[in-house]
Amino acid sequence: MKANPKKSTKIHLTSKEKSELLIEGIATVILLILLNLAVYMILIQIIETNRSVDDMLFNIKASIYNTFYSQHSSSLKLPLLIFMMTIDLIVLYWRLIRRYKQMQQRHIISELHYISNGHLDHRIPFELGGDAGRLIDSINVLVDSTVAAIEEERRIEQTKDELITNVSHDIRTPLTSVIGYLGLIEEKQYKSEEDLLKYTHTAYIKSKQMKVLVDDLFEYTKVRQSNSPLNIITFDIQQLIEQLVVDYEWPASQQKMEIDFQSPYEHISMTGDPEKLVRVFDNLLSNALKYGVGGSEIIITIKKTNTDVYISIKNNGPEIPNESLEHLFDRFYRVESSRSKQTGGTGLGLAIAQSIINLHEGSINATSTNGWTSFNIVLPLQLKQKI
């Protein structure tokens, strides 16, 4: 979007509008002169046609005469002239200002029509005071919010399209294998029972891959919602991680890796949804085993302050390229697509983990340097119950 233009200090009138103002001023002056003469003539007529009040008005006539014709009345004539001119100037100024504000409104309406015709990168450039200024600011704010809503809607639509494309692609590959092997079985194109078992086993494995993808996709759509319900209870986060470490000790030993949990505390009490947090740590430990091939150690550390708990899970497997670090938590992103297909990754695990951490009002990031890849998590010790 283009940057907003610099606001002008005033509205520049066209030659036609300046002519209108001049004509308005001349017409007003003429009308004021005619009005003054009319009032004067009416007063004269009233005085001359009302004989019964001649005596009462004699002094008024004499005063008027003395005011305008007497050489000794300059002290009265000057204030009267100033008063009349002041009234005339006020009327003239009021009419010109009213007409000028009408022209301002025309310019604002013209700018608004220009924006409504699809020029959403344009803003009304005038800087005015009073109600007109507040109106312009309100219109510009409204246009900004409308543009932001349109862009957000486009982003959501693009996200939906990408999601459908990615899901379709990831499901189609194993589904093609399932249909292919089941087709061979259906057409009895196998030579032995061993071939039959091989075909069914392959179809079963591919079906499990599809189920994992569907489950991850379902979980991802749930935790992506900011109002996703959390079963918040008080639990021991250290005990939770210790139990997960025990569960992963055997798979780690199969890959000749050791899991080392380092903590200076006996227990750490916090509030949150332990079931969802188990999903986070289970995903991180699983990834450390899957993608830490060639590494020998997984180290988990935990620290706390008065308000937060800091958890780090790192392994000394292959480092993640810098260009990939900033995309790790994007859905369906894989650092190495071939390696992910081999390990059965859906590309949703880290996106789910980040969403769960966000629901707990925490943060998660990844670093990969000096031979260590680390995932760092910050969680509040006390999480408010969400309604």
Side-chain angles (χ1 to χ4, degrees), residues 38-147:
V39 171
Y40 174 77
M41 295 300 296
I42 289 172
L43 289 175
I44 294 299
Q45 290 296 321
I46 291 175
I47 293 172
E48 291 182 351
T49 56
N50 286 275
R51 302 295 183 182
S52 60
V53 294
D54 280 349
D55 294 338
M56 183 181 65
L57 297 176
F58 177 78
N59 291 331
I60 298 176
K61 288 182 177 182
S63 298
I64 294 173
Y65 178 82
N66 291 332
T67 298
F68 291 98
Y69 301 105
S70 174
Q71 296 179 354
H72 305 287
S73 62
S74 60
S75 60
L76 295 175
K77 184 188 300 183
L78 183 60
L80 183 59
L81 289 174
I82 292 175
F83 174 76
M84 293 177 63
M85 291 179 63
T86 301
I87 296 299
D88 290 344
L89 288 174
I90 290 174
V91 173
L92 177 62
Y93 176 78
W94 173 76
R95 286 183 62 88
L96 292 178
I97 286 296
R98 187 183 65 170
R99 178 56 63 90
Y100 179 69
K101 288 184 176 180
Q102 291 175 349
M103 294 176 180
Q104 285 182 336
Q105 292 175 1
R106 289 208 300 262
H107 280 267
I108 294 173
I109 292 172
S110 176
E111 294 282 336
L112 188 56
H113 281 310
Y114 181 76
I115 294 173
S116 65
N117 287 332
H119 302 89
L120 297 179
D121 56 345
H122 183 73
R123 299 293 178 272
I124 299 179
F126 311 129
E127 188 176 76
L128 305 175
D131 294 337
R134 289 190 290 271
L135 176 62
I136 290 173
D137 291 338
S138 299
I139 291 174
N140 287 337
V141 170
L142 178 61
V143 174
D144 286 338
S145 61
T146 301
V147 170

Side-chain angles (χ1 to χ4, degrees), residues 230 232 271-273 359-361 380-386:
L230 292 177
I232 299 177
T271 59
D273 189 330
L359 286 175
H360 283 79
E361 300 175 2
L381 289 174
Q382 295 294 325
L383 181 64
K384 294 181 181 180
Q385 178 72 46
K386 294 187 178 182

Side-chain angles (χ1 to χ4, degrees), residues 166-201:
N166 289 326
V167 171
S168 300
H169 178 270
D170 283 7
I171 287 183
R172 183 174 56 186
T173 301
L175 184 60
T176 301
S177 298
V178 171
I179 294 174
Y181 283 107
L182 291 180
L184 292 175
I185 296 173
E186 179 73 15
E187 297 172 2
K188 300 186 183 324
Q189 295 185 17
Y190 53 88
K191 299 179 181 179
S192 63
E193 184 177 350
E194 182 179 353
D195 287 342
L196 177 61
L197 292 175
K198 178 181 177 181
Y199 296 164
T200 55
H201 177 73

Side-chain angles (χ1 to χ4, degrees), residues 222-229 359 386:
K222 285 200 308 181
V223 299
R224 282 288 293 175
Q225 300 174 9
S226 59
N227 59 348
S228 178
L359 286 175
K386 294 187 178 182

